[in-house]
């Protein structure tokens, strides 16, 4: 069963989908009533096509009444809805989060290459003391989800996004003058993947 789970509370819904090997073997007319990547069948990258089709499927299971699309900045939206949307993918998993408030979600498979990239996203005020892979994965996921709250290139991972950890709780702060906010995070390990989403955003 490709649908792993749907998490829901009073103001948000999160769905997680596992991509099957035959995901792209679909009729071209089976577009799932969406404008999300309308030119998908011209794409040459099979993995990317799988991710998009799985995202379309999951969005229709979660919100069959809405049409998944993108705004002019490239952020995902549901046409005709006031819900905010965030999407993440890694390996063979897709995650979609929709909420009544701005939101960000990220799911990542453990990747040792993050050791080589750490200097590009660690801020001196981030929580990390021991730069092991686990801490780096949580930090990266947290910053990815924070970035998606607004999803604008003006926000710099290293300079504008700060993640703290105290008493088992991650919190985040964006210090950009135009996109100033703080947030908390929900964190989980799902099927061996690091999973995190924003909550309780304060401007």
């Amino acid at each position: 069963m490709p649908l792993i789970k749907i998490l829901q509370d009073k103001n948000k819904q999160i769905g997680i989908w596992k991509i099957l090997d035959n995901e792209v073997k679909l009729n071209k007319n089976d577009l799932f009533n969406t404008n999300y990547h309308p030119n998908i069948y011209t794409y040459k990258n099979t993995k990317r096509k799988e991710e998009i089709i799985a995202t379309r499927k999951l969005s229709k299971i979660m919100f069959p009444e809405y049409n998944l699309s993108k705004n002019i900045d490239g952020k995902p939206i549901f046409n005709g809805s006031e819900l905010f949307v965030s999407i993440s993918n890694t390996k063979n998993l897709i995650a979609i989060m929709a909420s009544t408030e701005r939101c960000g979600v990220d799911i990542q498979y453990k990747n040792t290459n993050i050791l080589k990239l750490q200097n590009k996203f660690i801020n001196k005020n981030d929580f990390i003391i021991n730069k092991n892979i686990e801490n780096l994965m949580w930090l990266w996921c947290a910053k990815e989800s924070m970035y998606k709250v607004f999803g604008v290139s003006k926000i710099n991972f290293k300079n504008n996004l700060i993640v703290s950890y105290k008493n088992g709780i991650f919190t985040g702060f964006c210090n950009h003058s135009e996109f100033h906010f703080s947030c908390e995070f929900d964190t989980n390990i799902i099927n061996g993947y690091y999973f995190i989403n924003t909550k309780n955003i304060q401007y």
Side-chain angles (χ1 to χ4, degrees), residues 5-55:
K5 62 174 62 180
I6 291 182
L7 312 172
Q8 187 172 10
D9 66 18
K10 62 181 180 179
N11 70 338
K12 72 173 181 290
Q13 188 173 155
I14 299 171
I16 302 172
W17 182 277
K18 182 177 181 179
I19 299 174
L20 300 179
D21 291 338
N22 64 349
E23 204 79 67
V24 299
K25 296 178 181 178
L26 296 173
N27 188 293
K28 289 187 178 182
N29 294 322
D30 195 3
L31 298 178
F32 302 98
N33 188 30
T34 176
N35 293 322
Y36 186 71
H37 291 271
N39 298 321
I40 180 176
Y41 288 101
T42 67
Y43 295 2
K44 295 181 179 180
N45 187 313
T46 299
K47 177 175 171 52
R48 185 59 182 140
K49 287 163 67 175
E50 289 176 340
E51 293 171 348
I52 295 166
I53 291 171
T55 301

Side-chain angles (χ1 to χ4, degrees), residues 15-190:
I16 302 172
W17 182 277
K18 182 177 181 179
I19 299 174
L20 300 179
D21 291 338
N22 64 349
E23 204 79 67
V24 299
K25 296 178 181 178
L26 296 173
N27 188 293
K28 289 187 178 182
N29 294 322
D30 195 3
L31 298 178
F32 302 98
N33 188 30
T34 176
N35 293 322
Y36 186 71
H37 291 271
N39 298 321
I40 180 176
Y41 288 101
T42 67
Y43 295 2
K44 295 181 179 180
N45 187 313
T46 299
K47 177 175 171 52
R48 185 59 182 140
K49 287 163 67 175
E50 289 176 340
E51 293 171 348
I52 295 166
I53 291 171
T55 301
R56 290 174 169 185
K57 286 183 176 181
L58 179 55
S59 72
K60 278 301 170 185
I61 289 173
M62 295 173 66
F63 298 97
E65 69 273 32
Y66 296 135
N67 185 348
L68 183 65
S69 185
K70 287 186 175 183
N71 65 16
I72 59 174
D73 296 317
K75 278 182 63 63
I77 58 172
F78 282 128
N79 289 334
S81 170
E82 295 183 357
L83 290 172
F84 293 96
V85 187
S86 179
I87 296 174
S88 181
N89 62 77
T90 183
K91 286 280 191 176
N92 63 342
L93 289 189
I94 302 291
I96 297 178
M97 179 179 183
S99 176
T100 55
E101 68 174 14
R102 288 187 178 273
C103 60
V105 67
D106 195 56
I107 188 166
Q108 296 285 341
Y109 186 75
K110 188 175 182 179
N111 187 347
T112 57
N113 287 334
I114 200 166
L115 292 168
K116 301 176 183 178
L117 301 174
Q118 56 184 297
N119 291 332
K120 294 184 178 182
F121 64 89
I122 294 179
N123 184 294
K124 65 179 181 180
N125 296 313
D126 286 324
F127 74 91
I128 283 183
I129 299 175
N130 298 317
K131 297 178 182 179
N132 58 41
I133 292 177
E134 182 176 5
N135 283 339
L136 289 170
M137 291 300 302
W138 282 125
L139 179 61
W140 175 257
C141 287
K143 292 200 175 190
E144 277 276 6
S145 64
M146 287 177 71
Y147 179 83
K148 293 173 183 176
V149 170
F150 284 99
V152 293
S153 60
K154 290 182 179 180
I155 296 175
N156 182 277
F157 269 52
K158 182 171 185 175
N159 298 325
N160 299 134
L161 303 178
I162 300 166
V163 179
S164 301
Y165 181 77
K166 185 177 182 181
N167 299 326
I169 298 174
F170 287 98
T171 56
F173 175 67
C174 178
N175 64 13
H176 194 285
S177 59
E178 295 180 49
F179 307 99
H180 187 280
F181 69 91
S182 63
C183 66
E184 299 174 5
F185 301 97
D186 282 328
T187 60
N188 288 281
I189 298 291
I190 299 178

